[in-house]
Amino acid sequence: MNDVTPGLFSLSALIVPFITLVVGLIAWFFVNRISVRANTQIALLEALLDQQKRQNALLRRLCEAQAPQVESPSRPAAVAGDDDEEDPSLVRLVAER
């Protein structure tokens, strides 16, 4: 009744773990590759952020150096409200990401 030979059982017992191992290695390869790419992108983004912060600091220093010196810091509120172009606090509105 039982036509299956014992050699077939031993062969299938070797093939199933081998296929599982191959599939596991392929999955590990792709997960590892995605992880390395993500780490590289994070490092590049951090470098870009550092450069942007340095550029913002340089821009802030340049703007402060070129800003006209205010002779009387206690100007009346009506005059300060009418003339927004000379307001030094507007220089600080540079968005930092």
Side-chain angles (χ1 to χ4, degrees):
M1 286 203 204
N2 197 357
D3 294 337
V4 179
T5 60
L8 186 62
F9 282 124
S10 63
L11 184 62
S12 66
L14 292 175
I15 290 176
V16 171
F18 180 73
I19 291 174
T20 305
L21 177 69
V22 170
V23 169
L25 287 175
I26 291 172
W28 174 82
F29 171 76
F30 285 110
V31 168
N32 191 23
R33 184 174 175 203
I34 291 169
S35 174
V36 168
R37 282 190 175 192
N39 289 339
T40 304
Q41 287 179 349
I42 289 171
L44 290 173
L45 287 173
E46 287 175 349
L48 182 64
L49 178 65
D50 185 43
Q51 289 177 358
Q52 284 180 343
K53 285 183 179 181
R54 284 190 275 145
Q55 286 177 350
N56 286 342
L58 180 62
L59 179 63
R60 190 173 291 128
R61 281 189 283 159
L62 287 173
C63 290
E64 288 174 357
Q66 292 180 355
Q69 298 294 329
V70 179
E71 294 175 7
S72 61
S74 60
R75 294 191 306 173
V79 175
D82 292 338
D83 195 15
D84 288 339
E85 294 157 1
E86 293 180 0
D87 189 11
S89 64
L90 291 179
V91 176
R92 304 246 191 281
L93 291 178
V94 176
E96 188 172 329
R97 295 179 185 177

